């Protein structure tokens, strides 16, 4: 480290840590009357929300929660979840957002591994909780949440029901100052192998992430995504990277917020219509679900901005959404990265281009947001040129990346090998700095001595009008190393065969976009493609399925 | 400090300091083609600007500048100054922005006190520099800047001329990582007594200030001040709190920037017209100068946003600007505070009010920006209620306040008494959180047992159509403790007497806005009011002048 000039502060008291309470205070200062709304049924002004966060802090403290303790939440997306996102870290405790889509065993693993002390639980999840209750090793008490109005339940050391406890609590709580490097939130990411891994974020990290998000989405005019007058509804679960951290930014700006509870497609569309939602975010699968809802038929969404992340955005979904009045913008991030790393900002050069060039940029991972350092490296860790051609692993530095996997020193060392966070994604960066994700390292198909991107192949196949959804995987092949296989859900009434796919891909082979090894010799036509608990294509499962179908010569298959 | 959960990072390498180079890199990533323009004469794209910063880093390093050294700049507002704002801190050195309006003795004091090693000097300041050169104790070498195209000058250990050195330097420089608490910038604030005091800001502070600025001005829609598509020109000197830090925010967003050189009113107006400037900031005095320029006569400024700080904004200036097509918004800050503390954001409640209520808010100091904690306290340091009535000293905490006055332990302790930065301003905060500056503590007039705000009196007197400018001070009075005196510059052709002022204030006395002791019994009618080097009313000088006029029974005076 070089010797710069570092001067001591006049007093220790000068130290001003970056704490989540500052984000909270800012929002309440700017807005008192706007609403935080749950399913269109319950409404709270920012002033009421502020009081409820103070009440919740008192409830938690009286329930025995101490600074450093971990408090788990098991709820649908709600105003309550938002209250927990502030109150729990603001008293110095750690918020553990439980992934309710995990298997009971995995859920149990995360509760024990994170050392949860108190669990707030919506009674709709009681059966799941009861099934694993006996094996919990650290949970000391529970708090009941009930949309049905139940005030008690068969739960261990139940401290009471959320609304009743809040109503009885004081609206005054002095949130303390503490080290900005204190852990504020944690949650588990389910990899393709082994147990879920715990990532965690500190107060400093969440504050900086909030600023980077607000600045990226509010100040870059070429495709400005939101400002304080927007109406926000997440369609990414709050247990998943705290809904991408966007509720923190929305609260800081005093934005009207809508929380939809569980993701019923017709309810989501109704909320968008009735609450005049102008800004949201989701994974492609959920967007497909929303677009397919009865309530969405023939509806013009009026230019609502939706950020797409989690999986690659393809052009056909972009165009389908556009025709329904939805402006999509891709973003890139992952559980380990807070998540925001890049979003598809259009610079002046792109903006001056054709509509098709603009769309090509809007569906890319995008431009790294303020403060992020993104590089592509080869297998030896050497930086590759930004020429849009050189592909390598995307590695990152930024102020809000998880510092490690909780209590997993080996996996942590692998994640941070060489001092850079390894994303496991294969990417290329162009001369302007746009990052284009080409594949997951483990999803790259090595065929005939060439690397073939399963993502690119999915994108090409998806542009066939008869294809509703597609996943491409590689399977071992004695002659070619690996060969690509496609699993396809056709549009209603469409007939898709391996021959149809081959003909559709022929122009891309001629144009040199893919080589001829890229044409799948075998496809499976199915009614549904397996997804992970966060809605991504479950390639591990798809690979297993495809292997067994091949062995069984399944009737789903179509070969050339 | 309470015990929260703090976990060690996977590796030391995880540490990601908040450095100015990240702000720089973000801007260059988002924009390559937009211009940074000097006086309408020289133009550089962001790409060229980026290269020049790298070249300058090489020039400075070759000139012997080491991390921790202080490098001083003495130039008009220019692209060069912007380059120094990045290159100097980014190599780990400290940028000292010299105040060219100080007296030679004061300037010398600041150069020696800051321990400047290298001075970059525009040859228009050569006479000033030569006059004090012999008494400089730490300066080792100099770099010449010349708009006239001079390539050499009689300067000690001259390393060369800026443009020639840049042209010869490499465009490649690997900016290092270092402690985010390293000092990045310093400058001196001239108080009303004693030597100038040095304030300083670290990399971390500038990065956080930049984010708070971008978020406040870009994301709050009710009066959004700028986004990346705006065109920016400062009319606050870059030596003064680095032009309020706004060049850092503008660069991060890739905004087109115009630097006007020296402040010739007609040039400023021409640049606004020709470069289509949409966003600026200045003190009221400078705005008056701009509005009074020949080029501004009859010109509609087309809704340009101008932030007003440094002194209170009064309604009459607001309305005068509005009728010329200029939208003013007040902001509050000081040299010690980075400077941004509050800006006159309109919340929904104010927005729903009358035009007059909106203007009343727009001319207030405003709403504290994200992360700032602002309170008013009584003489014992107790917090006062936010009722718009309770007046006390405004005290602050925020992540970007100067940690101390450089090498001034006693004054530093006074500044940070009780762990809060003491502004010396008397303020009230209303229930919504708006801060209203009522006066400087030392400018409050204690008359007849009551506190009278000189600012409020100035504001009231300024609304008389015959008044161009006004300053109010208090002078000792054997009977009343103190009495208010006004110094007034009348509009051309207007006749202002003490009687005129009394009649103008009568309705305010009747309405209880001020009490009858608030009416000045004596005023001075002058052609100019003395200002400090940064354009504020020089109340110290005004007090001296008024005292001697009273003693001499000056013909300027008018009594009741």
């Amino acid at each position: 480290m070089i010797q710069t000039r570092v001067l001591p502060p006049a007093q220790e008291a000068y130290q001003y840590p970056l704490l989540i309470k500052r984000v909270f205070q800012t929002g309440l200062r700017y807005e008192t009357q706007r609403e935080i709304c749950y399913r269109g049924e319950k409404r709270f002004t920012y002033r009421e929300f502020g009081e409820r966060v103070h009440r919740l802090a008192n409830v938690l403290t009286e329930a025995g929660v101490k600074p450093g303790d971990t408090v788990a939440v098991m709820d649908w997306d709600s105003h309550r979840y938002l209250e927990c996102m502030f109150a729990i870290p603001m008293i110095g405790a750690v918020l553990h957002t439980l992934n309710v889509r995990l298997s009971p065993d995995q859920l149990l693993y995360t509760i024990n591994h994170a050392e949860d002390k108190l669990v707030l639980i919506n009674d709709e999840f009681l059966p799941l909780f009861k099934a694993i209750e006996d094996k919990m090793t650290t949970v000391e008490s529970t708090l009941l949440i009930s949309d049905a109005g139940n005030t008690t339940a068969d739960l261990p050391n139940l401290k009471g029901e959320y609304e009743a406890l809040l109503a009885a609590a004081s609206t005054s709580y002095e949130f303390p100052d503490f080290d900005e490097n204190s852990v504020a939130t944690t949650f588990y990411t389910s990899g393709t192998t082994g147990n879920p891994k715990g990532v965690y974020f500190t107060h400093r990290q969440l504050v900086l992430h909030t600023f980077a998000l607000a600045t990226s989405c509010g100040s870059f005019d070429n495709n400005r995504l939101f400002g304080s007058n927007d109406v926000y509804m997440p369609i990414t679960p709050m247990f998943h990277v705290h809904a991408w951290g966007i509720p923190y930014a929305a609260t800081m700006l005093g934005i009207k917020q809508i929380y939809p509870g569980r993701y019923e497609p017709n309810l989501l569309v109704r909320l968008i219509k009735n609450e005049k939602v102008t800004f949201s975010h989701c994974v492609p699968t959920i967007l497909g679900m929303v677009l397919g809802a009865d309530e969405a038929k023939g509806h013009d969404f009026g230019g609502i901005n939706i950020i797409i992340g989690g999986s690659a955005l393809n052009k056909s979904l972009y165009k389908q959404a556009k025709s329904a009045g939805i402006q999509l913008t891709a973003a890139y991030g992952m559980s380990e990265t807070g998540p925001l790393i890049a979003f598809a900002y259009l610079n002046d050069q792109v903006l001056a281009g054709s509509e098709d060039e603009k769309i090509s940029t809007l569906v890319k991972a995008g431009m790294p947001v303020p403060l992020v350092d993104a590089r592509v490296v080869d297998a030896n860790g050497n930086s590759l040129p930004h020429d849009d051609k050189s592909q390598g692993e995307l590695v990152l530095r930024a102020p809000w990346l998880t510092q490690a996997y909780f209590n997993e020193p080996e996996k942590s060392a692998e994640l941070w090998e060489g001092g850079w966070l390894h994303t496991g994604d294969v990417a290329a960066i162009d001369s302007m700095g746009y990052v284009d994700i080409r594949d997951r390292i483990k999803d790259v198909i090595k065929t005939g001595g060439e690397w073939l991107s399963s993502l690119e192949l999915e994108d090409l196949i998806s542009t066939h009008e008869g294809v509703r959804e597609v996943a491409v995987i590689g399977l071992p092949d004695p002659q070619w190393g690996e060969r690509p296989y496609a699993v396809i859900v056709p549009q209603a009434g469409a007939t898709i065969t391996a021959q149809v796919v081959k003909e559709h891909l022929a122009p891309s082979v001629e144009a040199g976009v893919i080589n001829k090894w890229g044409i799948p010799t075998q496809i499976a036509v199915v009614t549904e493609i397996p997804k992970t608990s966060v809605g991504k294509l479950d390639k591990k499962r798809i690979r297993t399925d495809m292997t067994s179908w091949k062995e069984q010569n399944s009737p789903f298959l179509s070969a050339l």
Side-chain angles (χ1 to χ4, degrees), chain A residues 41-93:
Chain A
E41 292 159 8
K42 292 186 181 173
R43 292 168 192 284
F44 304 93
T45 62
Y46 265 74
R47 184 167 308 200
E48 289 165 331
F49 159 69
E51 286 175 2
R52 287 171 60 91
V53 169
H54 284 80
R55 288 175 191 270
L56 177 56
N58 281 311
V59 167
L60 293 168
T61 303
E62 281 160 35
V65 177
K66 294 190 178 45
D69 285 351
T70 301
V71 177
V73 175
M74 211 169 172
D75 191 12
W76 303 113
D77 288 6
S78 64
H79 58 298
R80 298 171 298 242
Y81 224 129
L82 186 71
E83 289 155 11
C84 288
M85 282 176 64
F86 286 97
I88 296 172
M90 280 160 56
I91 65 172

Side-chain angles (χ1 to χ4, degrees), chain A residues 358-535:
Chain A
K358 272 181 268 185
I359 295 175
S360 294
T361 300
L362 283 168
V363 302
K364 277 189 185 182
M367 187 76 92
V369 301
L371 303 186
V372 169
D373 201 346
R375 302 192 182 173
V376 279
V377 297
D378 67 18
N380 300 317
N382 301 313
S383 277
L384 296 172
H386 291 190
D387 57 8
D388 204 29
K389 289 196 176 69
S390 306
Q391 296 187 19
E393 185 175 11
L394 181 67
V395 298
L396 302 170
R397 292 183 71 211
W400 49 78
L401 311 180
T402 189
Q403 302 174 39
Y405 293 119
F406 182 54
N407 276 350
E408 297 272 16
E410 274 177 43
K411 287 175 185 161
S412 299
E414 204 174 295
L415 181 70
W416 275 100
E417 198 193 323
W420 290 78
L421 185 141
H422 287 252
T423 62
D425 281 331
V426 177
I429 301 182
D430 72 14
S431 62
M432 291 183 286
Y434 286 103
V435 177
D436 191 20
I437 303 297
R438 300 285 161 88
D439 223 319
R440 290 293 296 170
I441 280 191
K442 61 182 180 303
D443 291 338
V444 169
I445 301 164
K446 289 143 201 141
T447 182
E450 300 271 351
W451 275 25
L452 177 70
S453 162
S454 65
L455 274 192
E456 188 166 20
L457 208 49
E458 284 165 7
D459 200 23
L460 288 171
I461 294 173
S462 79
T463 60
H464 188 286
E465 56 179 13
V467 172
R468 206 171 88 204
E469 208 174 5
V470 54
V472 169
I473 49 144
L475 291 181
D477 181 278
Q479 189 176 359
W480 303 104
E482 283 187 329
R483 289 290 298 138
Y485 292 80
V487 180
I488 292 173
V489 181
Q491 295 285 8
T495 306
I496 299 292
T497 63
Q499 187 59 32
V500 168
V501 171
K502 181 184 175 180
E503 281 161 20
H504 179 66
L505 292 176
S508 303
V509 174
E510 270 170 43
V513 176
I514 52 168
N515 66 38
K516 61 177 175 173
W517 318 121
I519 295 176
T521 40
Q522 215 164 27
I523 68 164
V525 177
V526 297
T527 53
E528 202 178 349
I529 296 181
K531 307 275 170 19
T532 67
S533 68
V534 292

Side-chain angles (χ1 to χ4, degrees), chain A residues 194-484:
Chain A
N195 283 319
K197 301 186 288 290
V199 298
Y200 52 90
F201 301 97
T202 65
H203 281 259
R204 170 185 161 110
Q205 293 186 307
L206 294 179
V207 170
L208 292 171
H209 185 271
T210 302
F211 264 126
L213 193 53
T215 304
S216 315
C217 293
S219 293
F220 290 106
D221 294 321
N222 286 351
N223 49 336
R224 188 167 187 256
L225 295 178
F226 66 81
S228 62
N229 285 350
D230 274 281
V231 176
Y232 165 63
M233 179 173 81
I235 324 184
T236 310
M238 296 172 91
F239 68 73
H240 185 229
V241 212
H242 9 76
W244 303 355
I246 299 180
Y248 285 122
T251 304
M252 182 170 81
L253 301 180
I255 289 174
K256 180 178 175 184
Q257 302 179 52
I258 316 297
Y259 289 92
R262 52 201 303 173
Y263 289 178
E264 301 153 2
N266 283 318
L267 171 66
L268 294 175
V269 178
R270 269 201 308 279
L271 287 172
I272 292 172
K273 289 178 184 175
N274 296 346
E275 305 293 338
K276 301 183 176 53
V277 173
T278 59
F279 168 57
S280 186
H281 51 87
C282 59
V283 295
T285 317
I286 299 280
L287 181 66
M289 212 173 83
V290 168
L291 287 171
D294 288 343
E295 291 264 1
K297 296 272 184 296
H299 178 64
D300 185 321
F301 283 84
I304 181 176
N305 271 306
I306 298 187
I307 303 182
I308 295 290
S311 306
L313 170 59
N314 64 50
K315 289 186 192 176
S316 102
L317 183 60
Y318 177 90
K319 287 174 183 165
Q320 191 193 345
K322 188 82 182 176
S323 71
I326 299 175
Q327 178 59 53
L328 300 185
T329 301
Y332 173 77
M334 45 200 277
S335 297
E336 287 82 351
T337 66
L340 188 65
I341 291 301
F343 92 105
Y345 169 79
L346 299 178
N347 69 10
D348 279 6
Q349 194 171 328
V350 174
L351 210 64
S354 68
E355 193 58 23
D356 203 55
E357 285 165 330
K358 272 181 268 185
I359 295 175
S360 294
T361 300
L362 283 168
V363 302
K364 277 189 185 182
M367 187 76 92
V369 301
L371 303 186
V372 169
D373 201 346
R375 302 192 182 173
V376 279
V377 297
D378 67 18
N380 300 317
N382 301 313
S383 277
L384 296 172
H386 291 190
D387 57 8
D388 204 29
K389 289 196 176 69
S390 306
Q391 296 187 19
E393 185 175 11
L394 181 67
V395 298
L396 302 170
R397 292 183 71 211
W400 49 78
L401 311 180
T402 189
Q403 302 174 39
Y405 293 119
F406 182 54
N407 276 350
E408 297 272 16
E410 274 177 43
K411 287 175 185 161
S412 299
E414 204 174 295
L415 181 70
W416 275 100
E417 198 193 323
W420 290 78
L421 185 141
H422 287 252
T423 62
D425 281 331
V426 177
I429 301 182
D430 72 14
S431 62
M432 291 183 286
Y434 286 103
V435 177
D436 191 20
I437 303 297
R438 300 285 161 88
D439 223 319
R440 290 293 296 170
I441 280 191
K442 61 182 180 303
D443 291 338
V444 169
I445 301 164
K446 289 143 201 141
T447 182
E450 300 271 351
W451 275 25
L452 177 70
S453 162
S454 65
L455 274 192
E456 188 166 20
L457 208 49
E458 284 165 7
D459 200 23
L460 288 171
I461 294 173
S462 79
T463 60
H464 188 286
E465 56 179 13
V467 172
R468 206 171 88 204
E469 208 174 5
V470 54
V472 169
I473 49 144
L475 291 181
D477 181 278
Q479 189 176 359
W480 303 104
E482 283 187 329
R483 289 290 298 138

Side-chain angles (χ1 to χ4, degrees), chain A residues 8-205:
Chain A
Q11 302 187 27
E12 267 313 297
Y14 159 76
Q15 299 302 335
Y16 193 84
L18 300 176
L19 299 175
I20 278 298
K21 71 172 175 179
R22 301 300 175 190
V23 167
F24 172 75
Q25 287 165 346
T26 297
L28 292 181
R29 199 150 61 195
Y30 281 103
E31 202 38 69
T32 56
Q33 293 310 311
R34 285 205 186 119
E35 286 173 347
I36 289 157
C37 163
Y38 178 51
R39 293 174 61 95
E41 292 159 8
K42 292 186 181 173
R43 292 168 192 284
F44 304 93
T45 62
Y46 265 74
R47 184 167 308 200
E48 289 165 331
F49 159 69
E51 286 175 2
R52 287 171 60 91
V53 169
H54 284 80
R55 288 175 191 270
L56 177 56
N58 281 311
V59 167
L60 293 168
T61 303
E62 281 160 35
V65 177
K66 294 190 178 45
D69 285 351
T70 301
V71 177
V73 175
M74 211 169 172
D75 191 12
W76 303 113
D77 288 6
S78 64
H79 58 298
R80 298 171 298 242
Y81 224 129
L82 186 71
E83 289 155 11
C84 288
M85 282 176 64
F86 286 97
I88 296 172
M90 280 160 56
I91 65 172
V94 180
L95 164 67
H96 178 191
T97 59
L98 290 176
N99 181 344
V100 299
R101 294 198 200 133
L102 291 180
S103 69
D105 277 357
Q106 285 188 314
L107 184 67
L108 174 69
Y109 174 86
T110 67
I111 290 171
N112 288 342
H113 190 265
E115 302 164 13
D116 296 340
K117 287 273 176 58
L118 172 71
V119 184
L120 285 85
I121 177 168
N122 185 315
D123 53 11
E124 294 177 41
F125 298 111
L126 266 183
L128 179 53
F129 188 89
K130 297 301 290 179
I132 54 178
E133 181 185 353
D134 292 345
K135 295 179 197 148
M136 293 182 192
T137 53
T138 60
V139 173
E140 292 171 0
S141 56
T142 53
L143 236 68
L144 176 68
I145 289 171
S146 177
D147 279 318
N150 298 322
T151 54
T152 188
D154 176 20
L155 280 167
N157 195 11
L158 178 63
K159 295 289 187 180
E161 185 273 329
Y162 193 89
E163 288 300 330
L165 290 169
L166 254 62
S170 160
T171 58
S172 150
Y173 191 100
E174 192 68 37
F175 292 105
D177 269 12
F178 43 76
D179 187 341
E180 68 187 27
N181 295 309
S182 302
V183 179
T185 61
T186 186
F187 56 90
Y188 283 70
T189 168
S190 45
T192 41
T193 54
N195 283 319
K197 301 186 288 290
V199 298
Y200 52 90
F201 301 97
T202 65
H203 281 259
R204 170 185 161 110
Q205 293 186 307

